Structures are given as structure tokens and as C-alpha cells.
Amino acid sequence: MSVLKVAIVGCGNISRSHARSYAAAPAEFVGMADIVPENAAELAGQFGGTAFASVKELLAATDPDLVSVTTPPGSHAEIAIEVLAAGKSVLLEKPPVLSLAEMDAVAAAERESAGSVYVVFQHRHGSGGLRAASLLADGALGKPQVAVCETLWFRPVSYFDPEWRGTWVGEGGGPTLGHGIHQIDLLLHLLGPWKSMTATAVRLDRPVEFEDVSMASVTFENGAVATVINSLLSPHELSRIRIDTTVGSLEVNHLYGYSDTDWTFTPVPDAARAATLGLDPGVRRTGDLVASGTDPWAASAGDDVPSNHAAQLRRLVDDLLAGRTHDTTLASTRPTMEFVTALYASALTRTTVQRTDLTPGHPFYRALHGDVPQTAIDQSFTL
């Protein structure tokens, strides 16, 4: 193939980020579907393809290679399974699903399909994130020890006017699931598997069924520890990850997407000490680089690719056209959904949750609020 045939299901605001990204790639629109026909017609009129009123109609009349699902989160799993049953590949906007049970149901459908499932986590695909992941993986930035992950955003009360927002059924969760999940996914992509978590979630101001602020203390399998905070009540908005390693501090400060200039690496103050930290052989050379005045982060700089939808979707299109597996698969994002699940489970049960606890028999496997009645959730989330 020289051009990928693409369809979009769900023609609201976020669909335009997908459409613009595909329009800049070797892709051709074959259809747009929305339960509000006017929305599908408007998007098709702007970008191309035929407008449809349902996924069923779209799949019956077109032959897409890839279907972007940009509907409200509560419908993602059902639509993904329908598309997979037709043998087509799927790209799910975040959050991919609302529970681990839904994720496993989509994974089961994927195993029976000729299609594959991918997830939009664009922060993995900016050049800064790619460099950071590579340098941390090979030890060039030292051994991670302490991390901070912050999603401090602001959403006014009017944000929750659409009937599906602010509800467990429609939105699935608060800033932990719908907003902080971007930074959480990037943190896990950089630090690797998490191990245990103790969390708190509260509802301070917004008219929602879930939290508007959450906080977690997390341990990782590599021995690192981290704090994570997610908020929708922060007027001075910020998205931030900081990772302190044995040889320096890696940090990214941005809002909804970073560029290379948003990343910094600060070596330990005492360069001589950095060279004698007793690092394992795989990272000892980093101490030598720092001691000699060479910054391993700066030395790895290349072309600046911002972490937007275009970065990931262009890479996805190129991968599929070349017959490569795009690396942000459904399976690769399960640890992120496990993290989100554990945060709600810990906050509502007031216990520490181990990642290994999250099996199909766990009370929070089928829903992020578990089997906790809404009255008890209201009491738990109210200070």
C-alpha cells in the first residue's frame, strides 16, 4: 500500500486532531460516522470521505485499513469490538477503555481478528520522550531513584455540561483517568513496571460522581519511588514529570504537549562524585561523561518533534504502510490502565494495592469504582 484508507468514528472536537494528522500523512479518508449525522457530514465535508450515521453503516459501505475511535470513552470498547469483528484495525483515543474487564474483552476480540488495536498516547512519540526513554533504558542517564508526576489542569463547572461528563458511565473517572493518564502513561513508559500504590482521591468543588483531585505514592520494580498528582482545580496549568537519577535530574514541563525545549537534564552538582558513584558497568560511562563536562542529554539531541497527535499518527500510518507493528499497542497500555485502576481501588478502600492484585477476581476489575455504592463514594471523596 502507498496510502492508508482511514475512517473516523465520533466526529466531535478531538476527531479534528485525528483528521488533521491523517491529512498530513499518506492517508485517504473513506468515511466519517457519528450518531449526529450533521457532525459526520461536517467532518467529511472538511476532510473527505462519506458521512454515515453509525459504525455498522460505515463498515458495510467502506473498506478502511484503520478506524479511529474518538467517541466518548464509555463507547470505546463496544465500537472497537465491532470494528475488529469486521477484520479492521482500530486506533482508540485515550482513555482506551473504562476498565480492565473492557480492556481484556477488546484484547480477546483482537486475538480473533485480522485487525490490531492501537491507543493514542502521543507523549510517547515526541522526540524528547523518545530520547528520554532510550537514554534511561540503556543507563545513559543513570539509575532512576525519585520521580514526580503532575497534571495540574483547570476545568470550569461548565466543562461538565454535556450529559456524559462527570459520570462513571459516560466518562469513567475524573482527572486520574481522563486527564492525568497522559502523564501517567509517559511516566510508566520512562520508568517501567510499577509495583505498589497508596492513593487518596477527593472531590473538592466540581459537580461530578468521582474525584476532581487525586494523589498517589508509588513504588516501581526498579526500586524508584514516585508521587503522582492529578487535578482539575489548578488555574495555573502545568504538566510535569521529573526523574532524579544517580547522575542527574531529568525534567519536562509543558501543558498539553511538549517540544524538546521543554526538557532539561541537570547533572549532579559534584561532577567528580558523579564519576565515582559505583554505578553498574552499564551506566558507569555516564559518570565519565558528566565528569568530563559532557551532557548525555544534550549530546543526544536531534530533530525536534512535538508530542502531538501528528507525531504518533504519522508514525502509525508509516508503520502500517511498511508492515511494521506500531509500538503503542493495546497490550502495551495495560500497565497504565492497571495504574489508574489501582489508584481508585486504593483511594476507595484506603489500602495499599499491589499491581499483582489486579486479576479478574479483583473488586475493581470490572469498574473503576468497584462495587462501592455511590453514596459511599460520595462520603469517601468528601473531606
Side-chain angles (χ1 to χ4, degrees):
M1 296 185 295
S2 59
V3 175
L4 199 75
K5 292 182 292 183
V6 175
I8 297 178
V9 176
C11 300
N13 289 337
I14 198 63
S15 69
R16 280 155 178 77
S17 293
H18 286 239
R20 287 191 295 268
S21 300
Y22 287 129
E28 172 190 358
F29 294 106
V30 297
M32 309 289 190
D34 197 287
I35 58 174
V36 180
E38 293 82 3
N39 291 349
E42 180 182 352
L43 197 66
Q46 184 176 357
F47 292 97
T50 303
F52 298 94
S54 70
V55 182
K56 182 177 180 180
E57 291 179 10
L58 184 151
L59 293 173
T62 67
D63 185 31
D65 302 308
L66 177 68
V67 178
S68 266
V69 177
T70 58
T71 56
S75 60
H76 283 187
E78 179 182 358
I79 294 172
I81 290 170
E82 184 176 1
V83 173
L84 288 166
K88 309 303 179 184
S89 290
V90 182
L91 175 66
L92 294 173
E93 183 55 60
K94 66 80 194 168
V97 291
L98 298 190
S99 69
L100 293 175
E102 285 190 352
M103 177 163 273
D104 289 348
V106 174
E110 182 181 29
R111 289 192 292 270
E112 299 297 321
S113 175
S116 299
V117 185
Y118 308 99
V119 179
V120 175
F121 278 125
Q122 67 268 31
H123 291 335
R124 296 189 186 187
H125 296 273
S127 53
L130 291 171
R131 287 167 60 201
S134 176
L135 291 169
L136 285 167
D138 69 13
L141 295 183
K143 177 179 172 57
Q145 295 179 312
V146 180
V148 177
C149 178
E150 298 171 329
T151 300
L152 303 174
W153 291 4
F154 185 85
R155 293 295 182 271
V157 172
S158 60
Y159 175 82
F160 299 98
D161 286 347
E163 62 179 10
W164 60 272
R165 281 200 172 132
T167 67
W168 291 108
V169 172
E171 209 169 358
T176 308
L177 176 70
H179 304 83
I181 196 170
H182 279 300
Q183 295 300 110
I184 291 168
D185 180 77
L186 180 57
L187 179 73
L188 300 184
H189 190 57
L190 297 177
L191 289 187
W194 65 276
K195 184 178 180 182
S196 66
M197 177 190 306
T198 304
T200 300
V202 294
R203 183 194 307 140
L204 297 177
D205 189 77
R206 297 297 182 258
V208 295
E209 293 180 349
F210 32 67
E211 87 288 5
D212 50 24
V213 176
S214 68
M215 297 168 283
S217 175
V218 189
T219 64
F220 286 79
E221 290 185 4
N222 63 8
V225 295
T227 61
V228 177
I229 182 167
N230 309 288
S231 168
L232 293 184
L233 308 180
S234 304
H236 182 192
E237 295 185 294
L238 174 69
S239 301
R240 172 177 178 250
I241 288 177
R242 171 172 167 160
I243 299 173
D244 296 331
T245 76
T246 49
V247 299
S249 295
L250 176 68
E251 187 167 354
V252 57
N253 288 273
H254 66 108
L255 184 49
Y256 301 138
Y258 61 75
S259 64
D260 277 0
T261 57
D262 296 314
W263 291 80
T264 60
F265 179 74
T266 306
V268 294
D270 186 344
R273 177 171 174 267
T276 58
L277 283 173
L279 305 177
D280 62 71
V283 298
R284 189 181 300 279
R285 59 188 176 82
T286 304
D288 296 335
L289 284 171
V290 174
S292 66
T294 302
D295 182 343
W297 176 255
S300 66
D303 293 337
D304 186 358
V305 178
S307 66
N308 51 28
H309 279 76
Q312 181 174 358
L313 268 62
R314 177 56 191 256
R315 191 175 177 193
L316 173 61
V317 170
D318 289 346
D319 286 342
L320 295 183
L321 289 176
R324 297 186 297 265
T325 298
H326 183 69
D327 55 14
T328 309
T329 61
L330 182 73
S332 79
T333 65
R334 198 176 200 280
T336 303
M337 281 302 299
E338 290 173 338
F339 187 104
V340 170
T341 302
L343 195 151
Y344 284 105
S346 178
L348 285 168
T349 64
R350 302 189 179 185
T351 61
T352 297
V353 175
Q354 307 292 324
R355 184 182 171 198
T356 54
D357 293 340
L358 300 174
T359 63
H362 193 276
F364 286 76
Y365 174 76
R366 298 197 172 277
L368 292 180
H369 51 78
D371 54 5
V372 181
Q374 187 60 45
T375 53
I377 294 172
D378 293 339
Q379 183 177 9
S380 178
F381 285 179
T382 301
L383 295 178

